[in-house]
């Protein structure tokens, strides 16, 4: 049965000082107070405590800066966020508050990276069916043209001045000359015919010049894409380029940004991950096909929460820590068609920071070719282990990584 | 401060703040002026630690402001603010306890002693020694001046339980302060 209050004089006294005593009980209590010294003493003590509490000005006076801090954190004073204090308080400023505010940068970056990659992919390179007898794989080849005297391969078998490109189940097959010589002459006209065999378009490529150059490890394909970029090179320049490409050292340099959130979350302003403060630079060497090893260095914010005896409480920090270590990266070397030619990859990293060891796992997509510029976009999870006053703590991070790479 | 706003009721201020008009900030500032002492006192005495109290105090007002659109009518602004503050305090204490492997006495701090008021210092210490269930209700009553039904509303307890806890809290505090109080009454 629930205990009730208000039966004894002492209980009634408490109700009286709180203004909660029923009128019907007041007479009884006043009578007790008249007769009972101890009860009067108790009343004096309760009122003395209350009086002292009213003098507790320290408790009733919020620090002056808190008003400004609150308004700044809410974005209600101009430029306030700059002056907002670094506290445990979540810094929320209008649009940038909450979940969406925290992911907007990585999402926007991902969208921009995807658009740029797609533009590069579909405008500068075109997937074509390899017409060589060597393989039935897709390749993406640049079309390079000389502005100087064309060099016609001695073993060129091209004799006509017309080539035909036909649509077949949405794919383009080169049905004309299947020349696989290193250098091929350009036809005057390419006629584009649809599935029914009717001519639909005729491309006059005479304006493109009189010769195409390509290395023999690439396979030339005609394209109906009117916006094939044509890079004007002298034969010597062309050879130089191909010499670089043929070097095929299997070295990849990666510059990437990291936008991730720490757990435990410290909710400091620096948790918002300014782009240029969270970066990594890596160099990888091909170990075997599809497997690279290398070194990576970088710097990153890590949210730290640990107990500090001298402060008598928990400390929240979000320092930038430099890290370095070794990584191993496995990827599917062939572009995956339904991923718009991207190559999925998985990367493991172990290393150290000033505070302690760290490990990372990254999975994502790489838009790249054997040589040259490429892009990466992925998810990254990492752990940092650190020791404070002989006690180990860990911080986990989860977020996005995005950047560019260059392969030699 | 806007004199006109000073004369508005809590409900009217809240409505003005929620309307999203030009005077939103002024209305919020007036609410802050009215309630910040009580909210801070609750956080300060309940948590004991100044930095933690400041953090929770600020977060209380931030959450209050951000919740303005989701509340149709505000009937008891003071209780609403204290409810937010209480939730934040409980979350923080829970987090501290979960992460703590240290002795309990580390959390008893006396970083704001008032040298001029010995009784007040003893009361602060006595409040820190109260179990949490008594402490928060005692603070709501003595520092925030809340009625029993408001305390019951904030804590989710019955009014009778609130009465009993306040009574028990006072008994404990008087018991801790007994040597001093006895001396004082002589």
């Amino acid at each position: 049965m629930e205990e009730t209050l208000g039966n004894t004089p002492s209980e009634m006294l408490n109700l009286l000082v709180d203004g909660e005593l029923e009128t019907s009980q007041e007479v009884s209590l006043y009578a007790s107070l008249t007769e009972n010294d101890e009860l009067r003493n108790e009343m004096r003590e309760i009122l003395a405590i209350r009086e002292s509490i009213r003098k507790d000005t320290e408790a009733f006076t919020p620090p002056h800066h808190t008003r400004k801090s609150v308004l700044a954190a809410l974005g209600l004073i101009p430029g306030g966020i700059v002056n907002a204090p670094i506290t445990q308080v979540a810094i929320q400023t209008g649009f940038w508050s909450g979940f969406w505010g925290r992911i907007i940068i990585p999402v926007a970056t991902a969208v921009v990276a995807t658009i740029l990659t797609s533009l590069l992919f579909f405008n500068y390179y075109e997937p074509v069916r390899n017409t060589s007898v060597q393989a039935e794989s897709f390749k993406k080849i640049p079309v390079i043209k000389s502005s100087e005297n064309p060099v016609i391969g001695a073993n060129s078998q091209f004799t006509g001045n017309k080539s035909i490109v036909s649509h077949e189940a949405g794919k383009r097959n080169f049905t004309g000359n299947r020349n696989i010589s290193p250098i091929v002459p350009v036809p005057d006209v390419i006629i584009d015919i649809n599935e029914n065999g009717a001519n639909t378009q005729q491309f006059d490529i005479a304006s493109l010049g009189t010769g195409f150059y390509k290395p023999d490890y690439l396979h030339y394909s005609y394209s109906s894409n009117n916006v094939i970029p044509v890079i004007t090179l002298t034969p010597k320049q062309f050879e130089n380029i191909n010499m670089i490409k043929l070097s095929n050292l299997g070295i990849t340099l990666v510059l990437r940004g990291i936008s991730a959130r720490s757990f435990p979350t410290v909710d400091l302003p620096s948790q918002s991950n300014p782009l240029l403060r969270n970066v990594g630079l890596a160099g990888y060497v091909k170990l075997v096909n599809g497997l690279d090893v290398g070194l990576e260095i970088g710097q990153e914010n890590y949210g730290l929460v640990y107990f500090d005896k001298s402060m008598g409480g928990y400390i929240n920090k979000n320092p930038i820590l430099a890290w370095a270590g070794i990584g191993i990266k496995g990827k599917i070397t062939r572009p995956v068609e339904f991923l718009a030619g991207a190559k999925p990859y998985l990367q493991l990293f172990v290393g150290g920071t000033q505070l302690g060891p760290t490990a990372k796992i990254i999975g994502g997509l790489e838009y790249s070719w054997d040589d040259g510029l490429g892009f990466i976009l992925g998810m990254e999870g990492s752990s940092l282990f650190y020791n404070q006053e002989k006690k180990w703590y860990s911080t986990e991070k989860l977020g996005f990584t995005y950047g560019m790479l260059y392969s030699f | 401060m806007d004199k006109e706003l000073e004369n508005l009721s809590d409900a009217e201020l809240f409505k003005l703040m929620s309307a999203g008009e030009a005077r939103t900030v002024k209305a919020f500032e007036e609410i802050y002026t009215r309630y910040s002492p009580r909210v801070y006192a609750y956080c300060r005495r309940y948590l004991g630690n100044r930095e933690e109290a400041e953090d929770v105090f600020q977060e209380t007002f931030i959450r209050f402001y951000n919740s303005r659109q989701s509340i149709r009518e505000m009937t008891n602004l003071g209780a609403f603010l204290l409810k937010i503050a209480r939730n934040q305090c409980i979350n923080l204490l829970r987090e501290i306890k979960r992460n703590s492997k240290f002795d309990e006495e580390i959390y008893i701090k006396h970083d704001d002693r008032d040298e001029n008021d010995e009784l007040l210092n003893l009361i602060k210490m006595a409040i820190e020694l109260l179990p949490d269930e008594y402490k928060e209700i005692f603070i709501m009553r003595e520092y925030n001046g809340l009625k029993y039904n408001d305390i019951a509303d904030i804590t989710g307890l019955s009014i009778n339980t609130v009465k009993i806890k306040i009574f028990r809290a006072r008994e404990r505090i008087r018991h801790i302060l007994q040597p001093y109080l006895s001396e004082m009454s002589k």
Side-chain angles (χ1 to χ4, degrees):
Chain A
M1 200 165 75
E2 192 178 22
E3 188 184 358
T4 56
L5 197 84
N7 298 323
T8 68
S10 180
E11 291 169 354
M12 282 194 283
L13 177 63
N14 272 272
L15 294 176
L16 177 73
V17 296
D18 288 338
E20 303 270 353
L21 186 68
E22 290 178 17
T23 316
S24 59
Q25 293 178 296
E26 282 180 5
V27 176
S28 167
L29 176 64
Y30 292 148
S32 299
L33 280 169
T34 311
E35 297 162 4
N36 193 334
D37 283 348
E38 203 174 312
L39 191 62
R40 283 200 301 276
N41 203 34
E42 185 179 338
M43 186 172 182
R44 273 196 295 273
E45 289 175 1
I46 291 172
L47 293 177
I49 290 169
R50 178 166 290 176
E51 190 59 30
S52 276
I53 285 174
R54 285 186 182 151
K55 293 180 199 165
D56 190 357
T57 50
E58 192 273 339
F60 286 108
T61 313
H64 285 302
H65 66 83
T66 52
R67 174 190 288 265
K68 195 177 176 186
S69 300
V70 169
L71 293 172
L74 290 168
L76 298 179
I77 52 176
I81 192 66
V82 175
N83 300 316
I86 296 175
T87 68
Q88 255 177 256
V89 177
I91 300 299
Q92 300 173 53
T93 55
F95 174 77
W96 295 101
S97 65
F99 175 77
W100 293 109
R102 296 193 189 287
I103 68 164
I104 192 70
I105 289 174
V107 167
T109 309
V111 169
V112 170
T114 305
I115 291 169
L116 286 175
T117 307
S118 302
L119 286 172
L120 280 165
F121 225 76
F122 295 116
N123 285 306
Y124 284 78
Y125 298 89
E126 181 173 357
V128 294
R129 176 73 66 181
N130 187 344
T131 57
S132 86
V133 292
Q134 297 167 342
E136 282 292 317
S137 62
F138 283 95
K139 284 203 170 185
K140 299 155 193 345
I141 60 169
V143 180
I144 302 169
K145 166 227 166 201
S146 167
S147 63
E148 292 189 349
N149 295 331
V151 182
I152 306 298
N155 59 345
S156 171
Q157 296 168 21
F158 183 81
T159 54
N161 63 353
K162 280 189 178 180
S163 293
I164 298 170
V165 178
S166 69
H167 292 288
E168 185 181 299
K171 296 171 183 173
R172 297 182 185 284
N173 284 336
F174 173 52
T175 57
N177 187 359
R178 292 176 182 270
N179 191 340
I180 57 168
S181 65
I183 302 166
V184 295
V186 63
D188 296 334
V189 174
I190 296 173
I191 297 173
D192 191 11
I193 56 174
N194 62 18
E195 291 169 18
N196 302 323
N199 290 1
T200 56
Q201 217 170 351
Q202 180 170 303
F203 298 101
D204 184 354
I205 61 169
S207 61
L208 298 180
T210 53
F212 285 135
Y213 295 86
K214 69 178 188 60
D216 57 2
Y217 61 89
L218 293 175
H219 298 282
Y220 170 65
S221 173
Y222 295 109
S223 168
S224 65
N225 188 343
N226 280 324
V227 289
I228 293 173
V230 177
I231 303 166
T232 305
L233 297 171
T234 65
K236 190 169 182 182
Q237 287 171 324
F238 179 75
E239 281 172 16
N240 289 339
I241 286 172
N242 282 330
M243 278 178 70
I244 293 170
K245 287 188 173 182
L246 287 169
S247 64
N248 198 20
L249 295 172
I251 294 174
T252 304
L253 296 179
V254 183
L255 177 65
R256 64 189 182 91
I258 302 154
S259 186
R261 186 152 184 78
S262 288
F263 301 93
T265 302
V266 297
D267 279 328
L268 297 175
S270 48
Q271 184 65 217
S272 56
N273 290 312
L275 285 176
L276 297 176
R277 293 166 67 181
N278 295 271
V279 292
L281 178 64
Y284 279 88
V285 180
K286 187 194 284 183
L287 197 65
V288 293
N289 199 24
L291 190 65
D292 297 352
V293 291
L295 301 172
E296 185 161 11
I297 59 171
Q299 64 172 32
E300 220 175 314
N301 284 108
Y302 282 93
L304 311 177
V305 179
Y306 57 88
F307 192 86
D308 188 313
K309 273 186 179 171
S310 62
M311 298 287 286
Y314 278 85
I315 303 295
N316 288 355
K317 285 185 178 174
N318 193 31
I320 293 179
L321 300 179
W323 47 262
I326 57 171
I328 183 164
K329 180 179 176 184
K331 68 179 177 185
I332 296 171
T333 51
R334 275 189 180 184
V336 178
E337 191 178 3
F338 73 88
L339 293 174
K343 302 168 186 172
Y345 74 94
L346 185 69
Q347 187 177 336
L348 301 173
F349 170 91
V350 288
T353 68
Q354 303 101 303
L355 288 185
T358 181
K360 293 169 181 284
I361 181 166
I362 304 159
L365 300 175
E366 178 179 310
Y367 291 82
S368 66
W369 299 271
D370 291 340
D371 307 296
L373 196 62
F375 301 92
I376 56 167
L377 179 64
M379 294 284 293
E380 173 174 326
S382 65
S383 288
L384 167 72
F385 303 92
Y386 60 99
N387 190 300
Q388 288 291 330
E389 296 176 341
K390 297 179 181 176
K391 182 171 164 55
W392 281 97
Y393 298 85
S394 74
T395 292
E396 281 68 46
K397 290 189 75 177
L398 185 65
F400 295 94
T401 183
Y402 37 80
M404 58 177 66
L405 57 86
Y406 197 90
S407 301
F408 299 95
Chain B
M1 189 54 67
D2 197 326
K3 286 283 177 195
E4 194 185 330
L5 290 179
E6 283 179 18
N7 297 325
L8 294 180
S9 68
D10 287 353
E12 288 169 328
L13 277 175
F14 186 79
K15 204 172 176 182
L16 193 60
M17 189 186 84
S18 308
E21 293 167 359
R23 296 174 83 189
T24 292
V25 179
K26 291 283 180 198
F28 176 70
E29 285 191 274
E30 175 59 27
I31 291 170
Y32 181 93
T33 303
R34 279 184 200 182
Y35 286 99
S36 60
R38 276 177 266 183
V39 173
Y40 185 70
Y42 174 80
C43 300
R44 183 70 187 87
R45 286 290 157 255
Y46 187 33
L47 294 171
N49 177 285
R50 191 196 311 267
E51 285 75 27
E52 288 168 354
E54 275 184 32
D55 287 346
V56 168
F57 168 74
Q58 291 180 72
E59 181 139 9
T60 298
F61 277 94
I62 289 167
R63 283 176 186 261
F64 164 70
Y65 183 81
N66 287 336
S67 69
R68 68 193 185 283
Q69 303 291 359
S70 57
I71 296 159
R72 189 172 293 173
E73 192 181 359
M74 180 58 70
T75 52
N76 191 337
L77 193 51
F80 182 72
L81 279 163
L82 277 180
K83 199 181 274 187
I84 299 173
R86 179 178 182 259
N87 288 338
Q88 296 306 309
C89 287
I90 289 171
N91 288 342
L92 180 64
L93 292 174
R94 199 177 287 153
E95 183 74 17
I96 289 171
K97 279 180 183 165
R98 189 165 56 229
N99 293 329
S100 176
K101 300 271 193 298
F102 297 90
D103 298 334
E104 191 74 17
E105 60 265 23
I106 287 173
Y107 297 102
I108 299 173
K109 306 170 200 74
H110 313 283
D111 55 352
D112 61 335
R113 278 176 179 257
D114 184 345
E115 296 299 330
N116 298 320
D117 195 329
E118 192 177 355
L119 178 58
L120 180 57
N121 288 332
L122 290 170
I123 291 169
K124 290 174 193 171
M125 189 191 72
I127 290 171
E128 286 186 18
L129 291 171
L130 284 177
D132 284 353
E133 58 175 330
Y134 292 152
K135 190 198 288 182
E136 66 162 346
I137 288 172
F138 179 79
I139 292 167
M140 283 180 195
R141 175 63 219 143
E142 293 298 337
Y143 277 84
N144 301 124
L146 292 184
K147 295 280 184 191
Y148 288 175
N149 59 345
D150 286 336
I151 298 172
D153 181 46
I154 291 168
T155 57
L157 299 170
S158 70
I159 291 179
N160 197 47
T161 306
V162 169
K163 284 180 188 173
I164 292 166
K165 283 181 188 284
I166 289 173
F167 178 69
R168 298 264 182 268
R170 279 205 185 107
E171 273 191 331
R172 287 193 183 216
I173 285 177
R174 282 178 54 237
H175 179 70
I176 294 166
L177 302 179
Q178 202 55 55
Y180 184 86
L181 292 172
S182 300
E183 193 68 25
M184 194 178 71
S185 61
K186 281 179 189 172

